[in-house]
Amino acid sequence: MTDTLRTPPPTAAGQHRRPFTLDPGRWETERSRALRTDHVRDHTCTAECEPVLVYERTRWGWLAWTVPGDGTPPEQPHQIGVLTPTASRMQRLALRWLTRHPAQRLALAPTIPGSLRLSAATVALISLLAGLFAMSHGIPVDAALPGMVLAPILAEHLPRQLDARAREHVRSVEGDGACRYLQRLAALHTSLVQAAAGSDRYELRRAVEIGWHTLWDAAGLLQTSDTRSASADLIARERLMVQLADQAAQSLKRTHTEDGSADQPGWHERPLGPYPSGFEQRARPASRRTPGTSALKGFQPMPQTQPDHAGHAADVYLLFAHEPYYPGPGAQEINTTLVAAASLLHPQVRQPDGAQIHDRLTQGRHPGEIVPLATLTHELNGGADWPTVGDWESVTTDLLQLVRDGECDALSLGLPEIARALICTGPHSHVRAFDATADEFIAYGPAERAAVLAEVDMFLACLVAEQDLWPGEGLLAPLCRRV
């Protein structure tokens, strides 16, 4: 049981998910050129094979794609480069220099290792002819010979020096995790550029500037840290970029509205995403919580319903965010998952960590509560006491794998970034987002977090109306029942 909730930023969903999404014919042209002139990746490649890269230039940098031998377009760039936002005209030319077609090289001889640039060989031939011509007209040999020798050497080694100078103004990253993250930011930034194209609105131009600086900062983080150690800073930058894209889309809608007076609703006034099958907005079920209780404060008592005698409640749910993924071709992004607490007792989940987190999760709760992982962190002395309970990172990774393998039921969500950020913070924390229209930061706090959890609760109520989420098979006994 997996249903997706998602409100993607308009115009951003398909950007850069394939090479040259704005000019599809360009990919076939570049791919054909690579097949004619270079060695592309196929079943004959070894680990030492250097991939042939096709560069897709943008205003802010480039995306470098490999060329698979089977003809299918790649889904993820091999490399992403970001040009400094304060680039001069000369530095922009450096970007074009770095993304030029690879130099053709000539093998020296079967028995001689190494190769020579075709350009260097051409310069060597020209310098030889020019030197012979000069000497035939009376130029001394000791004057002509140095030029004949230095010209091909410069042609061979000067491009490397120019590459090094050009890279001083560019931050490039490689690797699956880093490129996947920067690819999402690039898609969002492209939507900002498209929104600002042909517009004289200050907030749109300002959003593009901020987006470019965000890309530059994120590339710098990924150059010096892995995605896991820099996750907090990376999430903050992605949250800001999504907010900018959403505000740009709303600004365009206001511009195209005939009367120009009606503002579009904010994220907290819209549903979290498409409703599950058979679930109409007009017939949305009421929350399973008793009026007067708050979804935000999941650890507070509910007077109308009491926990069981052992102090552990049944039918509690764990809500946790994770690295976004797409469950299938054309599917929407999944970035948050809700599972029954009993799934923590699954034998494929890291144990005894899962059972210990289950014990902590269900203590003092009430039937039907949705408890974000961040709420547990708040209760565990801001995370300082997690080592005494269990490795939550390994446990949530195992839970997500269970969900993706179909070994347990889940409510798979594609939360907007502000909503996702709110459930990733403690019950009393605040999230700040930049409003490009007002050129200021807006704070979202406990009330907005409660609204997000209440909306998730409404979706869950529909899904479990007839049958609760299946936690999986072969579950271990809870700690409170063990001898």
Side-chain angles (χ1 to χ4, degrees):
M1 180 189 296
T2 57
D3 292 278
T4 302
L5 311 178
R6 178 64 175 161
T7 306
T11 76
Q15 301 297 340
H16 302 314
R17 292 187 60 183
R18 291 291 190 276
F20 302 98
T21 51
L22 301 180
D23 186 9
R26 178 73 181 279
W27 169 249
E28 287 303 321
T29 301
E30 293 290 342
R31 177 178 172 273
S32 298
R33 185 197 62 80
L35 290 174
R36 289 195 308 270
T37 61
D38 297 301
H39 171 69
V40 299
R41 277 206 179 277
D42 55 24
H43 65 280
T44 64
C45 287
T46 64
E48 290 74 25
C49 285
E50 188 72 20
V52 175
L53 299 180
V54 173
Y55 289 93
E56 178 181 357
R57 296 192 191 100
T58 66
R59 289 183 57 189
W60 48 265
W62 75 76
L63 298 96
W65 307 87
T66 56
V67 182
D70 59 5
T72 59
E75 297 183 359
Q76 181 179 309
H78 176 80
Q79 181 190 85
I80 298 180
V82 182
L83 180 66
T84 173
T86 58
S88 63
R89 181 181 297 273
M90 187 60 66
Q91 290 166 353
R92 291 181 183 278
L93 291 176
L95 173 66
R96 299 190 66 85
W97 170 263
L98 290 173
T99 55
R100 67 193 185 279
H101 289 313
Q104 298 184 29
R105 305 189 71 87
L106 301 174
L108 297 178
T111 59
I112 302 177
S115 61
L116 186 68
R117 290 176 183 266
L118 178 60
S119 58
T122 303
V123 170
L125 178 60
I126 294 174
S127 63
L128 175 62
L129 296 176
L132 293 176
F133 178 81
M135 286 186 291
S136 67
H137 285 73
I139 302 297
V141 175
D142 55 353
L145 188 59
M148 297 169 61
V149 174
L150 289 176
I153 294 177
L154 287 175
E156 177 66 23
H157 296 285
L158 186 59
R160 299 176 187 173
Q161 300 299 322
L162 294 177
D163 284 349
R165 290 293 300 274
R167 290 188 182 280
E168 294 176 1
H169 313 292
V170 172
R171 292 174 176 174
S172 61
V173 299
E174 296 182 2
D176 291 344
C179 284
R180 186 163 49 245
Y181 170 79
L182 214 56
Q183 183 182 17
R184 293 199 303 271
L185 284 194
L188 293 168
H189 183 66
T190 298
S191 72
L192 295 176
V193 174
Q194 290 178 338
S199 174
D200 58 355
R201 297 181 68 93
Y202 167 76
E203 61 267 25
L204 294 180
R205 298 197 307 272
R206 177 63 173 158
V208 172
E209 293 175 5
I210 296 173
W212 195 339
H213 279 277
T214 302
L215 273 176
W216 175 255
D217 292 342
L221 281 173
L222 291 169
Q223 279 187 329
T224 57
S225 309
D226 56 45
T227 53
R228 183 167 183 174
S229 61
S231 60
D233 291 330
L234 294 175
I235 289 173
R237 282 163 175 76
E238 187 171 0
R239 183 192 311 146
L240 172 60
M241 192 74 89
V242 170
Q243 176 71 3
L244 290 171
D246 183 68
Q247 290 174 359
Q250 299 304 324
S251 179
L252 287 180
K253 288 181 181 179
R254 287 195 298 271
T255 301
H256 295 154
T257 301
E258 291 183 357
D259 58 8
S261 61
D263 289 340
Q264 298 297 322
W267 70 267
H268 54 282
E269 296 172 311
R270 303 193 303 266
L272 297 180
Y275 291 97
S277 176
F279 184 59
E280 300 296 335
Q281 183 175 4
R282 62 179 179 273
R284 188 164 62 182
S287 172
R288 294 174 293 110
R289 306 188 189 282
T290 305
T293 63
S294 170
L296 164 68
K297 299 177 181 179
F299 54 87
Q300 289 188 347
M302 182 183 295
Q304 290 81 357
T305 309
Q306 296 299 327
D308 61 22
H309 295 295
H312 293 75
D315 300 328
V316 176
Y317 302 93
L318 175 65
L319 179 67
F320 61 95
H322 48 75
E323 180 73 15
Y325 70 91
Y326 296 89
Q332 294 176 323
E333 179 188 277
I334 302 299
N335 57 32
T336 311
T337 296
L338 180 146
V339 297
S343 294
L344 289 161
L345 303 173
H346 198 283
Q348 294 183 31
V349 173
R350 180 187 178 102
Q351 300 296 345
D353 302 56
Q356 291 172 167
I357 294 176
H358 173 272
D359 183 67
R360 188 65 184 85
L361 179 71
T362 56
Q363 282 184 23
R365 313 294 177 186
H366 303 277
E369 274 200 57
I370 297 174
V371 183
L373 183 67
T375 297
L376 280 181
T377 299
H378 170 77
E379 296 174 353
L380 291 170
N381 194 21
D385 294 338
W386 265 121
T388 65
V389 177
D391 183 351
W392 63 268
E393 292 179 289
S394 296
V395 167
T396 53
T397 298
D398 292 343
L399 283 174
L400 185 60
Q401 190 62 49
L402 282 181
V403 173
R404 300 192 67 174
D405 292 343
E407 297 294 330
C408 71
D409 285 345
L411 178 61
S412 298
L413 309 170
L415 296 182
E417 285 301 313
I418 293 178
R420 183 171 179 261
L422 285 167
I423 64 101
C424 287
T425 60
H428 306 298
S429 300
H430 289 77
V431 170
R432 297 175 69 227
F434 184 77
D435 186 342
T437 303
D439 201 15
E440 64 182 9
F441 285 91
I442 298 177
Y444 300 92
E448 289 78 14
R449 186 178 190 267
V452 173
L453 292 177
E455 188 79 9
V456 173
D457 183 70
M458 291 177 184
F459 278 92
L460 181 63
C462 172
L463 296 177
V464 302
E466 297 182 1
Q467 183 175 348
D468 208 340
L469 298 183
W470 173 57
E473 296 181 347
L475 304 182
L476 306 176
L479 291 182
C480 58
R481 297 181 187 174
R482 298 179 185 177
V483 178

